[in-house]
Amino acid sequence: MSVIIQELIRNLLTIDMFIAMVIGICGGMVIGILPGLGPSIGCALLIPISYAMEPIAGIAMLMALYTSSIYGGSFTSILLHTPGTPASAATCEDGYALTLQGRSLEAISWSTISSCTGGVISGIVLIMLAPPLAKLAVRFNDPEVFWIAIFGLTIIGSLAGDSIIKGLISGILGIILGCIGMDGAVGALRFTFGIKKLYSGIDQLPVMIGLFSISQVLILCEDIKNANKSLVKKNDKQLSGKFTFNYKEIVNQLGNIFRSSFIGTLIGILPGAGANIGCWVSYNEAKRVSKNPEEFGKGSVSAIVASEAANNAVTGGAFVPLLTMGIPGSPVAAIILSALLLHGLIPGNRLFTQQASITYSIIVAFIISNILMGILAYLIIPYVTKIVFFPISIIAPCIVVLSLLGVYATKLSIFEVWLMLIFGLIAYIMRKVEIPPAPLILGLILGPMAEDAYIRTLTLAKGQHILKYFISRPICIILMVLVILGLFFPLLVKVFMKKGKTKAIND
Amino acid sequence: MLLAGFVYKQSFIISVEVSAYFPRLAAIALFSLSFLLTANVIVRSIKEAKDDKDTRYKGMKEVIFAISSWIAILIYILLFKFLGFFPASTLFLISSMIALGQRNWRLIASIVIGIQAILYVVFVSILHTRL
């Protein structure tokens, strides 16, 4: 053990390592801020550079880029209602609401501290529990994935705001959109109407950018007379660029941070789940246990803390199946796997035994880069938050240009850009009739996942009744209970709140 | 409800029966929820009419401005298709900033040049994206 610690200190305290982490963090933040670009693109670009470096520095740089790009997405999410990455979509509503209240500095500061803590906690879990957690990951098969997807869909209830019916309609629209294209299990074409571009289905990126960014631009352009004014009035607190945390608030949010970090880490371990789901599950749990659930969606710090801690914790969790079994749970993990193989690091038991010093150096470097990310972020936050003082006449066109380029750059296809525009209009109409757009994204991600997993489960059940088959799997039973709780909990909360209000009026 | 009916009808065209179950289920759920919502709205409108409340939508001017902005973005995408990203973005940024009331020419010029420069460096030089 002491030998490993000595090797760790020797490997990590080098200038190369520091430079590698800084490059990864800065690159990741830029990629996260620009809508449309994701950590996959950044990692793919840096692989040749990482190959020229020492293995530890090279892999640490890629992991630093992954975690900081997830964090960087929160900047535009909070300041401009434009999620930089799909993982930041959950932060959008509450973050932007806080911006409009003149509290963008506070929102980003909380996002920073949650992201850093989430990443650090997942790194610690990775060090201590990687092999046993890997065994858990192996037990997750299609039946469990189906119930995870259904559990994710029950979150729609909590995202629905005041009208659960409208939220469910939005979610089901997302599920129907997810049915477009080639069916995942059998390969049958559905709802393509002869359009070849639809054969591979509707990508979530143009839908997300359209739903959040373009619709927001349309809402900003409604009030043309005041378009030369800024989003928020200048206030001394924002202009100073300094935010001081209230000690009591930090203590209040500690439970939320730890819970969300563990949720994110667990979801990151599951191949295929990813940060896109982790942030929503964590958001839902934070709302469920909050004393003020009605604040969620209207500028709740707890919402931002929950989603940001979870989406960064997912990055550490994703390395558990990757390092222990060589199973990449996401496109980014697949790219990092190729980097590991290029450096001669073969995932498996050997990484944690014979090459333990290298592996633990990489994981500790991941933890350090999360802390370094927070330090670097605090240097740039005072400048970045001043974007909100620009007039809408500058911000709105810039959002459109960035969104268009981000969507176009991923597939070099104008079809995706048209989709973005169409969904922008659809989301604008939805927001006008008070149908929340967020459940639509959730339906689009989770609908196909649930359907494919269900059809494959039918094959695995081999003629057995499907319910009997689910009940024969212990993890499925736990997930089914969570689904039932998730379905009925928002209704129970509404009933209790109504009773409470009636009692207050009578008193 | 119309969309739900359309999706349900289209599900019978799907070649493999098992692939049609999920969209059919979703269509039925959508129809039921839309029916509930419509009924809810009708009941509420009748209540508000009885209370002599003015239920007409008052924000038509704002919607027209928003739709005009949407059409401007549509034109921008068409220009992008024929002229390329940088010429189309320059035209779009300048015209939309002016349309939204910005008159500070130095600010407009510096934003247009600045943004284009950053995007050129990131997307063209580093990512080799063909624009």
Side-chain angles (χ1 to χ4, degrees), chain A residues 380-404:
Chain A
I380 63 164
I381 283 172
Y383 305 102
V384 171
T385 47
K386 290 195 172 120
I387 288 174
V388 297
F389 298 135
F390 277 81
I392 292 167
S393 54
I394 302 282
I395 289 179
C398 292
I399 292 174
V400 172
V401 167
L402 287 173
S403 302
L404 184 144

Side-chain angles (χ1 to χ4, degrees), chain B residues 41-60:
Chain B
V41 167
I42 291 171
V43 163
R44 212 171 350 126
S45 308
I46 294 171
K47 253 190 187 171
E48 282 168 1
K50 274 189 186 166
D51 297 336
D52 279 332
K53 274 191 188 167
D54 184 5
T55 54
R56 283 174 300 170
Y57 183 69
K58 291 184 183 70
M60 275 317 291

Side-chain angles (χ1 to χ4, degrees), chain A residues 16-64:
Chain A
D16 283 350
M17 183 59 91
F18 180 74
I19 293 171
M21 284 195 278
V22 169
I23 292 173
I25 290 166
C26 296
M29 277 208 232
V30 169
I31 277 165
I33 285 170
L34 292 171
L37 296 183
S40 329
I41 293 176
C43 285
L45 278 175
L46 287 184
I47 279 188
I49 300 171
S50 82
Y51 186 59
M53 295 168 131
E54 288 294 318
I56 299 168
I59 306 294
M61 180 179 67
L62 295 176
M63 288 166 83

Side-chain angles (χ1 to χ4, degrees), chain A residues 16 65 87 178 205-206 237 255 374:
Chain A
D16 283 350
L65 185 141
L205 180 70
K237 220 174 176 179

Side-chain angles (χ1 to χ4, degrees), chain B residues 74-85:
Chain B
L74 191 143
I75 295 169
Y76 170 38
I77 296 172
L78 285 168
L79 283 175
F80 169 48
K81 201 177 168 186
F82 294 110
L83 300 178
F85 175 75

Side-chain angles (χ1 to χ4, degrees), chain A residues 8 11-12 17 21 54-64 123 126-127 319 322-323 336 339-340 343 345 351 355-370:
Chain A
L8 265 172
N11 290 333
L12 295 173
M17 183 59 91
M21 284 195 278
E54 288 294 318
I56 299 168
I59 306 294
M61 180 179 67
L62 295 176
M63 288 166 83
L126 183 57
I127 285 181
F319 294 125
L322 176 66
L323 294 176
I336 294 176
L340 281 168
H343 284 286
L345 299 167
L351 263 188
Q355 292 171 314
S357 63
I358 297 177
T359 309
Y360 287 114
S361 300
I362 290 171
I363 298 172
V364 173
F366 170 72
I367 295 172
I368 295 172
S369 36
N370 274 285

